[in-house]
Amino acid sequence: MKRTFIRLSLLLIVGALACAVAYQLIGVRVDADGIVREAFPLIPIGFFLGGAGVVTGIAGLLWRKDDKHR
């Protein structure tokens, strides 16, 4: 169970990095009408995935320390 948290944490952080890379690759452009076109939803999704990955990683590390004391 303790390794599950660490693996989930890595998966979430990789997802956050994928969102950041996708945002950079898609880029931002302005139409002839002056409308900005960008992949804005990738920003909050990336922050959410990164934060969840950090919290899950900390939980996994704390769980691992508790198992060693028993």
Side-chain angles (χ1 to χ4, degrees):
M1 181 74 174
K2 58 188 171 185
R3 288 187 182 180
T4 304
F5 282 119
I6 301 298
R7 289 179 182 163
L8 179 61
S9 173
L10 291 174
L11 183 66
L12 289 169
I13 291 173
V14 167
L17 291 174
C19 284
V21 169
Y23 182 78
Q24 291 296 319
L25 290 176
I26 293 170
V28 178
R29 61 185 167 93
V30 180
D31 286 344
D33 298 335
I35 298 173
V36 177
R37 302 288 182 180
E38 65 178 336
F40 180 76
L42 289 174
I43 297 171
I45 292 170
F47 278 119
F48 175 75
L49 290 175
V54 169
V55 170
T56 306
I58 290 171
L61 291 175
L62 292 177
W63 189 312
R64 175 176 269 168
K65 286 183 181 180
D66 286 340
D67 285 347
K68 287 183 180 179
H69 292 293
R70 291 182 182 180

